[in-house]
Amino acid sequence: MPLLKFDVIEGRDEQSLKNLLDAAHRAMLEAFGVPERDRYQIVHQHPPHELIIQDTGLGFERSQDLVVITITSKERTEEQKQKLYKLLAQELHESCGIRPEDIMVSIVTNGDADWSFGMGEAQFLTGKL
């Protein structure tokens, strides 16, 4: 955990998606200090007309390479979050050629009781994690 969901415009090939997920995982490892195998990622691909993501008046244009990343995670510090945003922009640009203005990130925070990794248990509450 955290759980990352990627919304992208359809058309990326399997290798491009793998590069995207790998780059995001590297950023997550460094920014949040999660273990290597703490990797939960889901990709949703959409026709272009199903993703309308503007700029809230910031003055930049989005392209077909747009990536919206929704992260569900336990509480993180503001410093960790800002580091993650910066690292995601760097990693996705360097590894995937995605412009920083085409990356939007939202973090949704929850707690220990909000996670079950299987077996009908809340492993953070039972002490298994």
Side-chain angles (χ1 to χ4, degrees):
M1 131 32 233
L3 171 63
L4 282 72
K5 294 183 181 180
F6 300 80
D7 287 280
V8 299
I9 295 173
E10 63 189 4
R12 286 180 165 90
D13 62 31
E14 187 176 337
Q15 187 60 51
S16 295
L17 290 172
K18 181 183 181 326
N19 291 345
L20 172 67
L21 299 179
D22 289 348
H25 189 60
R26 285 191 298 273
M28 184 64 58
L29 290 171
E30 186 172 338
F32 284 8
V34 300
E36 180 74 32
R37 288 186 47 87
D38 196 355
R39 186 170 179 170
Y40 302 92
Q41 301 172 315
I42 301 168
V43 175
H44 299 278
Q45 296 191 60
H46 306 272
H49 68 275
E50 290 185 1
L51 274 180
I52 300 172
I53 305 295
Q54 295 183 332
D55 68 350
T56 313
L58 295 171
F60 45 82
E61 295 293 322
R62 309 284 190 183
S63 78
Q64 294 293 105
D65 289 335
L66 172 70
V67 178
V68 179
I69 305 171
T70 305
I71 301 168
T72 304
S73 175
K74 293 170 59 173
E75 185 63 43
R76 305 293 172 166
T77 67
E78 287 184 12
E79 292 79 17
Q80 287 176 307
K81 292 175 184 179
Q82 290 184 33
K83 183 175 184 179
L84 178 63
Y85 302 146
K86 182 177 180 176
L87 288 171
L88 282 169
Q90 289 174 350
E91 282 283 350
L92 297 183
H93 181 71
E94 292 170 9
S95 300
C96 308
I98 298 171
R99 304 174 317 147
E101 55 265 48
D102 280 328
I103 302 165
M104 180 175 168
V105 181
S106 175
I107 298 177
V108 179
T109 303
N110 64 15
D112 290 349
D114 300 311
W115 293 94
S116 173
F117 294 89
M119 306 303 290
E121 298 176 353
Q123 286 86 356
F124 286 123
L125 294 180
T126 65
K128 291 182 179 176
L129 286 177

